[in-house]
Structures are given as C-alpha cells and as structure tokens.
Amino acid sequence: MTLEEGCILIADDSITQREQLRLILEKGGYRVSAASNGKEAIALMEQEKPILVITDILMPEADGFAVLEYMKNNTELKHVPVIVISVVEEMDSVVRCIEKGADDYLYKPFNPSLLKARITSCLEKEGLHERERVLHRNLAQSYEALREAEQAHDALFHMIVHDLNNPLSTMLGAVQILLRNARSGSQENGKLLEHLQNMHDSGAEMSLLIRSILDVSKLETGNMPVFLSPVDAVGLLKRLCEQFAPQAETVSVHLAFESGEESAMVRADEELLARLLRNLLANALRYAWEGGNVKCGVKKDGDDVILSIEDDGPGIPPEFKDKVFDKYFQDTSRGRKGRGVGLGLTFCKMAADAQGAEIRVESGEGKGARFEVVVKSMDASTLTPEQLAAESSLPEGQLHADTYRR
Amino acid sequence: MNDLTPVLMELGREESRDLMNGMKEGLTALQDNADETDFEEYVGELLRHAHTLKGVSRTIELRDVEETAANLERFFKKVRHSGSAGALNGTLCSGEVENLLERLDTALRYIERDQL
C-alpha cells in the first residue's frame, strides 16, 4: 500500500481542528477520515485500517488514552503510528500518551510543515519497523525450515544405514558360506547358485537405494539432463508391464495392461519417464494385496495423455495424501512389504516436473491407490522432433531438469 | 499568523460562539441546580468545552477568547477538584460565576465585532 492509498484518521472534538488537519493532509496527498470523539474513531479504525492516527486527548465518549489503549491491544492496529495533538499546558497528559504507546506529539496551534515532517518521519519509522518484523518472520521461518531439513537428513542417514546394513549382512552371510564351502571342498552347485542370487539381489537393492538418492539430488540441483523426444506412451507402459510380470507373479499379484489406444505419442524424456513408471509399478506391486490386482492403462484426454497405475491395496489415509510426494516421507500405516527411504515418489514428482508432466494420486483408505502421470500429447504439438530438440538452449536437445520445474 | 483560510477562520469563530453560548447556559444551570446528582459529569462536560474553546481560539488567534477559555477551564477544574456541588455557590467560587459569565459576554461581543 502506498502512502497515498492509505488513510490518516483524525480524532478531535473540535470541527475547526478537524477541518484544519483535513486541509493540510489532503493537500499532502493523504486520504483523510475524521471522527469527533474517541468512540467514533475506534469504530472508524475497524473500517478504514488507517496508516496513521492523529488524536486529541480530551474528547467526549472516549478520550485519547482510550483510543491508544484500544489500538495497542489490537493485533492489527498496534503498529499503526499515533501522533497526539494537545495544548502546551497538557504536558502530563502528553507524557502519559507516550507511555501508552503514542509515537509523537504536537502542540496547538501546530505548524503545518512540522506536522507533515512528523507524519513522514512516523510513517518512515513504521515502514522500517514493518520491514524488521517481516525479516524477523522470514528468519524464523528459515530457521524452522533448516531445523526440519536437519531432522530429515538425520532421519535419512539412519534409514540409509539401516537399509544398507540389511542387504550387506545377507551378502556377507552368503560370502561366508561360500568361503567355508570352498575351504572344505564341499561346494554344492544348487546352493552356490542360491547364494550368488542372494548376493546379487542384495547388491541390486543397495544399488537402487544409492541410485534413488543420487537421482533426487541431481534433479534437485538441476544436474540431470532431460532429453525431450516423441515417445509412444502405450508402447512404453506395455513394455514395462511385461518386464514386471515375473515380479508380479512372485508376489501373487495380477498385473494387467489395458488401453483403448493403439499408440499415444507424448513429448517426454523416455528414460526418465520409464524410470518414473518403474517406481510407480514397483510401489503398486508392493502395496497390492496378495492375490490382488494392479491395473495399468493409457488414455488420451484433450491435449494430454494420461498414464495410470492402480493397485487395490490398503490405499493412502487422507492425512497422508498431500505428503506422499514429500522428500523422505514414509507411510508407515500401510503395512509395507518392503521398505524404501521415502524417495521413490519424490523422484517421480521431480521427474514429472522436469519434463513438464504432472503426477497426481487418487486414493482413499481401503480403496487402493491410483497414480496418474499426465504428459503433453505430441498430437497437440506441431513440433517436429528436430524442433523439439531445438527448443533447448543446450546442444542436442538437452534440457536441464529445472527448465521445466514448476 | 497561521495560513488559515477564511472559511476555516469563520468555522473557528462559529464553533467558539457555540461553545461559549453552551457554557453560559451551563454555568447558569449549574448555579440553579447545584445539587443535581449528575453534577460531576456536567462539570466535566463544561470543562471539556472550555478546553476545546481554548484550542480553537488559539488556532484562530482570538487571544481574548483564549484567555477567557483558560479562566473557565481553571474554574471548572477547581470545582471538579472540590468534589462537592456546594462549592459552586460557596466561598470557593464566590463571585467567580458572575465574573465568568460577564467575561463570556465580552468575548461573544468581541467575536461578533471580529466577524464584522
């Protein structure tokens, strides 16, 4: 609000004094509101939200002290500067007003130039105080954010240590058995394969964990390159479902892909979109009930193409729905079959943002979860793949992740 | 001299005249009904009027009126301070009310002359 837009409220029981003040202030570009007593002034304050109040002390109904007391006890008005106007004989009253929070005073008859100077000074001081208050608020918010980040990092550290320790223990156990067998010469081919498989799976689990941490970090800092090109969303999701079929069978979940579209070209980074969908598929298989279903599909919706992955598991409680994409968030209420560090969906959100797509979730407790990735259709765009590449400021169509970050 | 507009000067004179007429009536009423229960509140109102008159007359530079207003303010303060309605007609204010009424008449005549 500029000073000119702000209103100065005058409270004085003398019409002559009020009109004199009004003339001076309006000449100075201020909007003026006037009250003939303290009670009226208090009522006007609620409507006008003045930037400054000039008040007489001795007034009917409510005096200058009552006005000051009301203002200082009101959250919205307590910082509004107050100038008291009095006669010189009222020094005791002026002192009392200053003690009650008045910012300045003037004696009647006042000098218009001095009045203007005092108003400017009061408003400037209040402007500085307001900036100070805003800075203080921002500082408190930053401190709180830093504290939360520190807590999140501590939690992450503990989770990483825990999550790396489990597969590492499995791996070391398998190596120990293999070593013992090798030393005793009692190697059995069947067991050897089983131990090697365990070592491989544990290594893969650790690798996935480390990769998701690195991916989120790269996307956060804008260091993950994004290559936009025409991608067939139907072909991509279908292929991924085929890849996940053995895993679905292992956990006894029926994985189905259905699409009314033969193909649906979207503009995306194929590798990044595939990794995003793999995360969603892995999540859906993790949460679907044993013997349950995971349904995947692709449909066109105007200029968009929607890729969906839906499980019939326990669903997401309403209080967690807005948090599932938050970094390090883990929904502990859903009886997870496997544990991650809470970065999978964060990665999905960042990967979607990075290529100008959108990710959303529909869920209810006990109603499963449906994740949708909304990507811009290539049919809606007249850009050729070459033009798409040229969109980038980087050579060969390379875009930084933050180019599309919302 | 303040750079007051003629309109503002006229407004100040009118307000001063209204306040003085009000105080004349008030003083007379006080003399006649000094035992009324709302005496303190009434004196408080007259004191406020005297105070306002002092400020207005100072602003429009009517020195005689300002002096009368200051006398009235002092008088009402003294009466209020005594805390007793009887003080108005007792020795504390002996002859003062008549004197003040006379001064108010003089001040009103002064304003009328000033307006001409």
Side-chain angles (χ1 to χ4, degrees), chain A residues 12-17 19-20 23 27 56 58-61 87-90 108-112, chain B residues 2-5 8 11-13 15-16 47-49 51-52 54-56 58-61 66 73:
Chain A
D12 200 309
D13 60 340
S14 160
I15 188 172
T16 313
Q17 307 282 3
E19 286 311 301
Q20 187 191 15
L23 283 172
K27 210 170 158 185
D56 188 14
L58 203 58
M59 290 183 290
E61 303 286 345
V87 289
V88 71
E89 299 88 338
E90 281 183 310
K108 295 174 192 174
F110 48 79
N111 178 295
Chain B
N2 285 323
D3 53 351
L4 294 174
T5 61
L8 211 55
L11 193 65
R13 276 192 291 265
E15 189 178 12
S16 299
L47 170 63
R48 196 166 40 71
H49 284 174
H51 180 81
T52 305
K54 188 170 75 177
V56 176
R58 191 175 287 180
T59 300
I60 59 172
E61 298 184 339
E66 185 191 335
E73 195 181 6

Side-chain angles (χ1 to χ4, degrees), chain A residues 274-344:
Chain A
R275 282 167 62 191
L276 184 167
L277 295 169
R278 272 192 210 107
N279 261 290
L280 292 181
L281 273 164
N283 247 16
L285 290 176
R286 186 181 300 151
Y287 287 115
W289 300 120
E290 201 173 328
N293 294 289
V294 168
K295 290 179 194 164
C296 301
V298 177
K299 69 170 182 181
K300 291 179 181 170
D301 181 26
D303 291 346
D304 296 324
V305 171
I306 301 173
L307 298 91
S308 61
I309 295 170
E310 187 177 356
D311 69 67
D312 59 358
I316 303 166
E319 66 267 31
F320 293 153
K321 205 185 142 196
D322 294 335
K323 294 182 183 167
V324 290
F325 297 111
D326 287 357
K327 216 163 141 188
Y328 314 134
F329 172 76
Q330 287 190 322
D331 176 5
T332 49
S333 70
R334 294 209 281 164
R336 304 176 64 145
K337 294 176 193 166
R339 230 168 62 89
V341 285
L343 285 172

Side-chain angles (χ1 to χ4, degrees), chain A residues 187-386:
Chain A
Q187 194 72 269
E188 292 174 35
N189 276 349
K191 286 282 178 191
L192 176 67
L193 278 175
E194 192 184 314
H195 292 314
L196 284 173
Q197 187 62 50
N198 278 344
M199 287 164 68
H200 172 269
D201 291 350
S202 299
E205 197 178 324
M206 287 193 285
S207 170
L208 186 69
L209 171 66
I210 290 164
R211 194 172 172 188
S212 55
I213 294 168
L214 291 175
D215 281 347
V216 167
S217 171
K218 274 185 187 173
L219 282 165
E220 262 187 332
T221 51
N223 285 329
M224 182 171 282
V226 176
F227 300 96
L228 293 179
S229 64
V231 178
D232 177 17
V234 175
L236 177 64
L237 189 52
K238 193 175 173 190
R239 204 163 57 245
L240 289 172
C241 284
E242 285 163 5
Q243 285 172 13
F244 271 79
Q247 197 177 321
E249 205 179 318
T250 311
V251 292
S252 306
V253 171
H254 177 64
L255 174 62
F257 175 82
E258 282 173 23
S259 173
E261 316 287 346
E262 281 286 309
S263 72
M265 297 306 288
V266 295
R267 80 187 215 165
D269 180 314
E270 187 163 7
E271 165 61 13
L272 205 54
L273 185 60
R275 282 167 62 191
L276 184 167
L277 295 169
R278 272 192 210 107
N279 261 290
L280 292 181
L281 273 164
N283 247 16
L285 290 176
R286 186 181 300 151
Y287 287 115
W289 300 120
E290 201 173 328
N293 294 289
V294 168
K295 290 179 194 164
C296 301
V298 177
K299 69 170 182 181
K300 291 179 181 170
D301 181 26
D303 291 346
D304 296 324
V305 171
I306 301 173
L307 298 91
S308 61
I309 295 170
E310 187 177 356
D311 69 67
D312 59 358
I316 303 166
E319 66 267 31
F320 293 153
K321 205 185 142 196
D322 294 335
K323 294 182 183 167
V324 290
F325 297 111
D326 287 357
K327 216 163 141 188
Y328 314 134
F329 172 76
Q330 287 190 322
D331 176 5
T332 49
S333 70
R334 294 209 281 164
R336 304 176 64 145
K337 294 176 193 166
R339 230 168 62 89
V341 285
L343 285 172
L345 288 177
T346 306
F347 167 78
C348 291
K349 172 83 170 71
M350 287 178 157
D353 285 352
Q355 48 197 316
E358 184 195 342
I359 185 166
R360 59 196 183 202
V361 59
E362 280 301 321
S363 182
E365 210 157 358
K367 292 178 184 167
R370 177 186 170 87
F371 284 88
E372 288 187 344
V373 182
V374 186
V375 196
K376 282 280 162 229
S377 168
M378 270 298 283
D379 300 342
S381 169
T382 53
L383 292 178
T384 62
E386 291 73 25

Side-chain angles (χ1 to χ4, degrees), chain A residues 18-289:
Chain A
R18 287 201 301 276
E19 286 311 301
Q20 187 191 15
L21 282 166
R22 185 196 291 280
L23 283 172
I24 295 167
L25 296 175
E26 285 182 348
K27 210 170 158 185
Y30 297 105
R31 196 160 61 79
V32 176
S33 189
S36 63
N37 59 58
K39 198 174 166 186
E40 209 179 300
I42 288 169
L44 271 174
M45 275 177 211
E46 294 298 329
Q47 302 165 19
E48 299 280 2
K49 307 288 178 218
I51 55 165
L52 186 135
V53 172
I54 300 174
T55 182
D56 188 14
I57 300 177
L58 203 58
M59 290 183 290
E61 303 286 345
D63 57 18
F65 304 120
V67 170
L68 271 166
E69 205 161 303
Y70 176 83
M71 289 179 72
K72 297 306 160 188
N73 287 322
N74 183 304
T75 322
E76 284 184 24
L77 296 167
K78 69 178 174 188
H79 299 302
V80 175
V82 180
I83 298 176
V84 172
I85 296 203
S86 76
V87 289
V88 71
E89 299 88 338
E90 281 183 310
M91 187 42 99
D92 287 351
S93 300
V94 169
V95 171
R96 214 175 126 201
C97 283
I98 300 283
E99 283 170 354
K100 278 186 173 287
D103 298 82
D104 211 339
Y105 67 95
L106 271 176
Y107 288 134
K108 295 174 192 174
F110 48 79
N111 178 295
S113 302
L114 186 60
L115 173 71
K116 280 184 213 164
R118 295 258 166 106
I119 289 173
T120 307
S121 158
C122 274
L123 291 174
E124 275 174 6
K125 265 191 253 174
E126 172 48 24
L128 287 173
H129 286 155
E130 178 58 21
R131 272 165 58 190
E132 204 175 291
R133 286 193 290 274
V134 169
L135 283 173
H136 189 266
R137 271 200 301 274
N138 290 347
L139 201 66
Q141 280 167 1
S142 302
Y143 173 75
E144 190 53 31
L146 271 174
R147 207 179 57 78
E148 279 173 13
E150 201 182 326
Q151 280 177 349
H153 276 98
D154 281 352
L156 174 68
F157 175 75
H158 288 294
M159 278 189 282
I160 291 170
V161 169
H162 182 270
D163 286 7
L164 283 177
N165 190 47
N166 284 346
L168 196 60
S169 300
T170 308
M171 198 184 270
L172 284 172
V175 170
Q176 263 178 344
I177 293 167
L178 288 178
L179 279 171
R180 198 175 55 210
N181 288 350
R183 281 189 194 117
S184 64
S186 64
Q187 194 72 269
E188 292 174 35
N189 276 349
K191 286 282 178 191
L192 176 67
L193 278 175
E194 192 184 314
H195 292 314
L196 284 173
Q197 187 62 50
N198 278 344
M199 287 164 68
H200 172 269
D201 291 350
S202 299
E205 197 178 324
M206 287 193 285
S207 170
L208 186 69
L209 171 66
I210 290 164
R211 194 172 172 188
S212 55
I213 294 168
L214 291 175
D215 281 347
V216 167
S217 171
K218 274 185 187 173
L219 282 165
E220 262 187 332
T221 51
N223 285 329
M224 182 171 282
V226 176
F227 300 96
L228 293 179
S229 64
V231 178
D232 177 17
V234 175
L236 177 64
L237 189 52
K238 193 175 173 190
R239 204 163 57 245
L240 289 172
C241 284
E242 285 163 5
Q243 285 172 13
F244 271 79
Q247 197 177 321
E249 205 179 318
T250 311
V251 292
S252 306
V253 171
H254 177 64
L255 174 62
F257 175 82
E258 282 173 23
S259 173
E261 316 287 346
E262 281 286 309
S263 72
M265 297 306 288
V266 295
R267 80 187 215 165
D269 180 314
E270 187 163 7
E271 165 61 13
L272 205 54
L273 185 60
R275 282 167 62 191
L276 184 167
L277 295 169
R278 272 192 210 107
N279 261 290
L280 292 181
L281 273 164
N283 247 16
L285 290 176
R286 186 181 300 151
Y287 287 115
W289 300 120

